[in-house]
Amino acid sequence: MITSELPVIQDSSNESGATDTVGLTMNMSEMDDTEVKGRKKRGRPGKQAPTSNKKPRKSPTDKSMGPTRGRGKANGVAQHNGDGGDPVTLFEVVKLGKSAMQSVVDEWIESYKQDRDLALLDLINFFIQCSGCKGTVRIEMFRNMQNAEIIRKMTEEFDEDSGDYPLTMPGPMWKKFRYNFCEFISVLIRQCQYSIIYDEYMMDTVISLLTGLSDSQVRAFRHTSTLAAMKLMTALVNVALNLSIHQDNTQRQYEAERNKIAGKRANEKLELLLQKRKELQENQDEIENMMNSIFKGIFVHRYRDAIAEIRAICIEEIGVWMKMYSDAFLNDSYLKYVGWTLHDRQGEVRLKCLKALQNLYTNRELFPKLELFTNRFKDRIVSMTLDKEYDVAVEAIRLVTLILQGSEDALSNEDCENVYHLVYSAHRPVAVAAGEFLHRKLFSRHDPQAEEALAKRRGRSSPNGNLIRMLVLFFLESELHEHAAYLVDSLWESSQELLKDWECMTELLLEEPVQGEEVLSDRQESALIELVVCTIRQAAEAHPPVGRGTGKRVLTAKERKTQIDDKNKLTEHFIMALPMLLSKYQADSEKVANLLQIPQFFDLDVYSAGRMEKHLDALLKQIRLVVEKHIEIDVLEACSKTYSILCSEDYTIMNRVDIARSQLIDEMTDRFAHSVEELLQEAEEADDDDIYNVLSTLKRLTAFHNAHDLTRWDLFGNCYRLLKAGIEQGSMPEQIAVQALQCSHYSILWQLVKITEGAPSKDDLVALRRVVKSFLAVCQQCLSNVNTPVKEQAFMLLCDLLMIFSHQLTSGGREGLQPLVFNPDSTLQNELLNFVLDHVFIDQDDESQSMGDEEDEANKIEALHKRRNLLAAFCKLIIYDIVDMPAAADIFKHYMKYYNDYGDIIKETLSKTRQTDKILCAKTLILSLQQLFNELLQDQGPNLDRTSSHVSGIKELARRFALTFGLDQIKTREAVATLHKDGIEFAFKYQNARGAEFPPINLAFLEVLSEFSSKLIRQDKKTVHSYLEKFMSESMSERREDVWLPLISYRNSLLTGGDEDHMSVTSGSSSKTGSVRSKKGRPPLHKKRIEEESTVEGSWMMRNDTLQTPGALQTPQLTSTVLRENRPAEHMADPDSEPGSENDYVHNPQMQISWLGAQKMEDMNRKDRSGINYIKSRSNQGVRQTVRGLMEDDAEPIFEDVMMSSRGQLEDMNEEFEDTMVIDLPPSRNRRERAELRPDFFDSAAMIEDESGFSMQMF
């Protein structure tokens, strides 16, 4: 029987005072020296490294064998035998998968019994070919070469053209191959478990080969052999488990026979049982040695491989071993590997760890063995619920739920709270998993019978009262009241029975206080009503709330039936319950607003089908009472929406509801007309009651006018009278003006709907035009109102109406509506623009002072949202060509300063205007920069400090604008040229009053304009330069003072890469020159590619004779690193100097390259230098790099903190685990071949060095 010490045997030298108490220090020779009584030592895995005088290896049968015999057929297909023809290999048989693995393995076993060398040769080639290697191991190689030599030979024959190999190739065929590959290994061991695996030859050869391949530098070898070895180990664990069971059975039979009285005891049977037990023990020892070889030789190295897939394979299989044979493997010696790997930096590996642990925690009988592991790694598992990979976070929550199910005491309150808040996560799978945890912890019935008895005593129909109370308390304590829909959605899959218990929820809301029971507080009642509405919405709509999920998916037939049943159930219940709830809570605006959302989820046919009109009348009565009692916008809008739903023409109840609605509107309009007359008559003498009467009625009518066509009551007339009176007298209350504007707006829209849906007469169009014109005039006058809310409302309505009644109104065959089109004049456009500048682009400090120091963060966010809406409304007018595009210059100039607040809106406006008119957009951009420049001149005067932050800010804005032109210079050619033209004209527009020898006042603007020079194509650079020279006098070209630097800089930006560049003009010859140069120097391949790209795409930027502005000031010339490397030795740059340093400029003054090209070359050189340094350092250590292509040289550490929360810090990896475990990374084995063939894949800080590595080679 395998003991827990097997794969972690301790070296005797480490038993006293050893540093590595984990116990992975046993040498391979010690494992191989373990000899079973009556048997030989194990074979190939324990071989020493080959020496120069060692004879070629022979198998036990080689001495009696003659020449190689031809093979027979396996599965009726000729196998590899060296005889010619078209052989089919074992790899191809498994890949095609046309034969059952059982028959394939049986055929191989038959061939093994005939000639085991040839059969093993087939198996070796199978593993080689499964790795994607084109090479083949021949019989001579198998007999005369060590495994290390064979692997090295196969490595040399590996195909380096492609990085793919069977295990990584996409497609269903290769996915099936992986399955067949694993099944073949499993069946092979199962079929050989009674004899062949104990012959000390087949298994030794296979394990030795896989161990060598797993230590290869080639990823394909390492990946394939690790998968094979782990599946081989899994199959051996299954064999060991069966042997253990047989041993136990044999021991029981022996004990039973021995305990019989002497007369009935069968001595022969006892001897047979003893012999069987001895044989089973020997087989067990053999299996243990094999598993030791695989675990120590492969697993302990590959579970921390540089490739995540390999690490994932190891962790997945060790989880299988622990579950399959828990008596041997489920202990801290093996669990520590899973615990360590929980810190892996790849989500794929962490996911395998969690799933492996889930399989263990699912079995409650295993909890005692997992107790120590749980205590040690519980904090890490809980912190992984915040993993940045959502799949990992979901599995971590599920694992925590399993831990909770196994032991209530395993998790502290703090641990649970860390999971609780995830029910509000925007990622639905995470939230649902957290909802399952919450359900298990808080909402599972602990004593159903007692709860049902309690419910009966209190006259309730449902025993869920206490659970619903607990749900309300949880919702309130989470302090995320605006996310009730998220909470309900998270619990929907796990707690549907509770969430759909609307009868119990209604009873809790309606019942009178019972003596001895605490009643719901006002806050709890509000929370419960909100939860009720969310559960109704979830049941009726059958999809997650907004923000969860990618959209509405198509429901299955079962889900559709559940949705219909739930909708009928809630309708039948709340048709009767809702009037009672409204009656009880009609004075509470918050509760009423929530309750009035319920009817929109009704199946309204139930009213007529179930003869429930009396309940409809009761509902309408309660809604009317609510309308008369409240003036809160939310409540009134809810009432209006409810009337609108109930008035739907699809239902027979429409007439009954329409009558009730009309009666209500009649009363309100009469009251409104009387109150308006009284208010206007009393004018300034009006008291608060008069104002309240007008305002309350107007609020109700406005809310209803939003969803209902009230044009027949002609509300516009009285609203217009109120607005005109307010403008003339200047004393109209703020709220009345706001509501009157809104109500008038709704009235105009409903009139437009009537006209567009019918066949309007000319009189109708004239009447509506007169109404719109008068209302626009009123709104324009309101822009100068002293009250900010009135101005903001007027501005929004102006923007909306100008958008609606723009030239687009006549599109779609509506040319008859042309009389209704309004185009804003310049005065109105300026007023709208000034409003935006005054109310949107304001500093936060100014706003805080204006709104009060006590303003909290929520109010600031709300104010920002309002300002964004104002800006967006105006930008829409610019985009749709309602307001002239140059007005956008005042918007664009604030792009950088207010980037965080409005950057997205301004950028989108810029993009849309460019699509409309590229040239006009470019002129607008340069106009915005000119405005900023003029403002700067006014502040600082003509003598600008070009190093100041203000000038830098304008240049940065210009750079951002230049980036928006994109990479396609042909499309933006004309626009960019126009921009330069306007910029040059602006720079030379005003001459200096002190004389011609002084620079023009705006000359510094050329420094800003130079940011756009890179967007000019080479032909246009010359044209722009010629245009610039028209404004320049001869003296200007010769000036070199600092004040003339902008002109010099701008000229240089135009001259760089211009037409006078000989490389551009004679591109053919320059290409030839480059070719000759590259052939002589033979630069590396990637350098040649860069040189070709620079010739094709940017050759005009290169130049042989430098064009420079005459004078002392020289522009530094960047030299190509590709060309520099191919210069004669005396012109080579100092290797210690920086790229682009003075040496580069001195040695080659002819060549120039663009800044971007220079940066690319510099990056390439940096990579080359680092590569050369790396090779030098490796050569100094005696390392020879002999394998290219599929080599892995990822030197990043595996473990890192991947949590979204800063609380999830990695613990010290040297921290000791009580008694049985030391939480320490397993030591790396500095094997000879590993040191020679591949660099260390792991960060030295993350891995702890081990001085006692395996001293014996596997080959």
Side-chain angles (χ1 to χ4, degrees), residues 1207-1227:
R1207 294 180 295 176
Q1209 300 295 329
L1210 285 177
E1211 299 183 15
D1212 183 5
M1213 299 306 290
N1214 293 323
E1215 182 182 350
E1216 294 190 359
F1217 196 19
E1218 296 289 339
D1219 300 331
T1220 58
M1221 293 184 67
V1222 173
I1223 304 306
D1224 196 358
L1225 288 174

Side-chain angles (χ1 to χ4, degrees), residues 716 719-720 723 739-749 775:
F716 180 82
C719 291
Y720 185 74
L723 293 171
Q739 293 298 321
L741 286 169
Q742 191 68 58
C743 188
S744 302
H745 177 65
Y746 291 147
S747 178
I748 290 173
L749 295 184
F775 183 67

